[in-house]
Amino acid sequence: MAKELTAKGKATRGRIIDAAAEVLRESGIEGTTLEGVMARSRTSKSQLFHYFPDGKDQLLLAVAQYEADQVLDVQQPYLGRLDSWEAWQQWRDVTVRHYEEQGDHCPIGTLSLYLGRSTPGARAVVIELLHRWQEYLAVGIRALRTAGHLPAGLDVDERAAALLAAIQGGVTILQATGRADHLRAALDLAIGDLRRLGEPASASASAPAPAPGEDRARARG
């Protein structure tokens, strides 16, 4: 079992990971060296290898986890409270803006390519990121359904999976072209489709209840 780090140890390890992430963004995989990370983090070689005894690959795997956490963190607090259509629009705007600013640089993609998609650790980081992201979306869709804004029979997990796939497709095209048009379209259509599904449910929920015997009269008429 790994030894629990002290508060100071966690801070030092975190500083090394932060520095490695910065160097990676600036210089890419080839330009990221342990010496550069040590200089940026103001740590010694013995300190770096104390926390990352397997060297560069182990450090970059930790950076991959850090970047995966950042993917979700930049979408907060909106991603964590998708309980109204206004909140969904705010989340959409923040997400598009983030990826526009990021441009064609994708730390997760770069690290996955370097470490190898078949590397258990790297693969686990990506799978966990996608699982957490989809679950946030599912929680938001359930909140809308519970509030009566979506049909009771809606398949929440299917909708969340489709929405995540739309985001990833839009981001992939953005990275290839430098344009966010496809990401915007994917999110707008996916959210718009949800709203259209919710219109009958909302209308039904807001309609006044029929007077006693009125529903039977309608049926006879």
Side-chain angles (χ1 to χ4, degrees):
M1 182 178 296
K3 184 178 179 181
E4 182 70 20
L5 294 177
T6 63
K8 182 178 180 181
K10 289 178 181 177
T12 302
R13 185 178 185 276
R15 192 167 74 248
I16 293 171
I17 294 172
D18 288 345
E22 291 174 2
V23 174
L24 177 69
R25 293 191 196 103
E26 294 170 5
S27 307
I29 289 289
E30 296 302 323
T32 300
T33 64
L34 295 182
E35 290 74 16
V37 173
M38 286 185 284
R40 181 69 62 93
S41 61
R42 302 184 305 280
T43 52
S44 65
K45 187 173 183 179
S46 62
Q47 283 178 303
L48 189 146
F49 277 92
H50 173 73
Y51 298 105
F52 305 99
D54 294 334
K56 183 176 179 178
D57 282 3
Q58 186 180 13
L59 173 57
L60 291 181
L61 186 58
V63 173
Q65 182 62 66
Y66 167 84
E67 293 290 2
D69 292 338
Q70 290 294 105
V71 168
L72 300 181
D73 287 347
V74 297
Q75 299 175 55
Q76 300 295 1
Y78 310 105
L79 183 61
R81 59 183 191 199
L82 296 172
D83 54 2
S84 69
W85 294 123
E86 181 182 5
W88 277 85
Q89 185 63 40
Q90 291 173 323
W91 165 74
R92 174 264 189 208
D93 293 344
V94 166
T95 301
V96 171
R97 184 164 60 249
H98 166 68
Y99 281 106
E100 281 183 314
E101 293 171 353
Q102 179 176 281
D104 62 0
H105 175 64
C106 177
I108 289 291
T110 300
L111 289 162
S112 295
L113 186 62
Y114 172 80
L115 294 167
R117 296 186 189 278
S118 61
T119 302
R123 185 178 179 84
V125 167
V126 174
I127 290 174
E128 177 62 17
L129 165 63
L130 296 176
H131 173 76
R132 289 168 60 198
W133 200 345
Q134 183 172 325
E135 185 55 29
Y136 270 117
L137 297 172
V139 168
I141 296 171
R142 284 192 194 96
L144 292 176
R145 189 180 65 179
T146 300
H149 299 311
L150 288 172
L154 182 73
D155 189 327
V156 171
D157 293 328
E158 181 180 59
R159 286 283 166 174
L163 185 52
L164 180 58
I167 297 168
Q168 290 300 297
V171 170
T172 298
I173 295 175
L174 186 155
Q175 290 165 356
T177 65
R179 297 178 61 87
D181 302 18
H182 295 80
L183 176 59
R184 284 197 202 91
L187 281 171
D188 289 344
L189 285 172
I191 296 172
D193 189 44
L194 277 177
R195 295 196 72 156
R196 283 188 292 275
L197 284 173
E199 287 170 1
S202 298
S204 175
S206 61
E214 184 179 341
D215 53 345
R216 294 190 294 274
R218 286 176 181 170
R220 290 195 301 270

